[in-house]
């Protein structure tokens, strides 16, 4: 079975979702980040998996459900941290971030028959999911992160593998993104948190 990895930051004001500020305050941005993380972890918790691992920058809080191993992120750039997350896996692994609270167990339930890799593109040019049947950190190291071309470069690193593409999803980076993602997943923690905060911002 698949090891499911979630790479995340502890949702502390000033450290997460900084592009939401403004219109949100750092404290409000952290509330939204925590809600997004809750939704992501909930989806992972409801997905069949060999292991569920939170690769965390910071300390776990009451938002962490049972059933997860917590490992610290290594030092270095995001490419190094993603590579190290895969390095800790034996057998198939699928990694997601905390920026797509609309993710579902159905999206995360992958079949490795006749497949070596999964790739989930993001609308901002990055990627929201990456899966490897045989985790190879070298396929991530050196990929430029947080650019409009990150996804294309990472997808090219899978050359020679049998790749299945997952649906295109939107990351929550800006307030505009947040509104669209909340519409896509109206029943989640993220949508509820945004509904509570948006009127305060509008005032």
């Amino acid at each position: 079975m698949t090891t499911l990895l979630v790479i995340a930051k502890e949702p502390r004001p000033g450290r997460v979702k900084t592009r939401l500020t403004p219109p949100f305050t750092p404290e409000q941005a952290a509330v939204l980040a925590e809600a997004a993380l809750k939704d992501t972890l909930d989806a992972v918790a409801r997905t069949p998996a060999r292991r569920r691992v939170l690769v965390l920058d910071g300390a776990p809080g009451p938002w962490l459900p049972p059933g997860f191993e917590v490992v610290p992120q290594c030092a270095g750039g995001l490419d190094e941290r993603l590579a190290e997350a895969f390095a800790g896996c034996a057998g198939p692994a699928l990694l997601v971030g905390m920026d797509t609270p609309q993710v579902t167990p159905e999206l995360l339930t992958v079949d490795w028959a006749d497949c070596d890799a999964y790739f989930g593109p993001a609308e901002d040019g990055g990627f929201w999911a990456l899966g490897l049947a045989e985790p190879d950190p070298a396929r991530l190291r050196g990929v430029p992160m947080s650019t409009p071309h990150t996804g294309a470069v990472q997808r090219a690193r899978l050359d020679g593998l049998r790749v299945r593409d997952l649906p295109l999803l939107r990351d929550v980076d800006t307030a505009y993104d947040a509104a669209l993602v909340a519409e896509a997943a109206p029943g989640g923690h993220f949508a509820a948190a945004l509904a509570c905060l948006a009127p305060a911002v509008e005032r």
Side-chain angles (χ1 to χ4, degrees):
M1 293 182 70
T2 304
T3 294
L4 294 177
L5 302 164
V6 179
I7 188 157
K9 288 183 179 180
E10 178 187 357
R12 292 172 54 194
R15 297 190 68 250
V16 290
K17 294 282 161 245
T18 55
R19 290 176 61 189
L20 291 177
T21 306
F24 299 100
T25 66
E27 290 74 20
Q28 290 171 330
V31 169
L32 291 172
E34 180 174 329
L37 182 54
K38 282 182 178 179
D39 283 337
T40 303
L41 294 174
D42 179 63
V44 170
R46 292 184 291 119
T47 304
R50 177 184 180 187
R51 298 166 60 205
R52 298 175 183 87
V53 183
L54 175 62
V55 186
L56 185 63
D57 176 3
W63 38 262
L64 179 66
F68 282 80
E69 304 170 42
V70 180
V71 299
Q73 291 184 25
C74 70
L78 181 55
D79 64 314
E80 288 288 343
R81 287 177 276 145
L82 295 177
E84 188 64 21
F86 277 104
C89 299
L94 180 71
L95 179 142
V96 298
M98 60 183 287
D99 295 336
T100 50
Q102 71 274 44
V103 73
T104 63
E106 289 74 25
L107 287 172
L108 299 177
T109 302
V110 293
D111 180 2
W112 296 101
D114 301 316
C115 177
D116 302 312
Y118 277 86
F119 184 76
E123 291 200 18
D124 63 0
F127 59 94
W128 66 269
L130 181 67
L132 295 170
E134 296 183 7
D136 180 1
R139 291 191 181 270
L140 294 101
R141 291 194 174 105
V143 173
M145 296 290 163
S146 302
T147 80
H149 311 293
T150 295
V153 175
Q154 184 60 73
R155 183 66 171 76
R157 286 290 191 92
L158 306 178
D159 185 50
L161 301 180
R162 296 167 297 174
V163 183
R164 288 183 185 150
D165 289 306
L166 295 167
L168 180 72
L169 293 186
R170 179 180 291 273
D171 284 341
V172 175
D173 290 323
T174 66
Y176 176 76
D177 296 327
L180 291 179
V181 169
E183 288 178 9
H189 295 287
F190 183 81
L194 184 64
C196 289
L197 294 177
V201 170
E202 291 169 1
R203 288 199 299 270

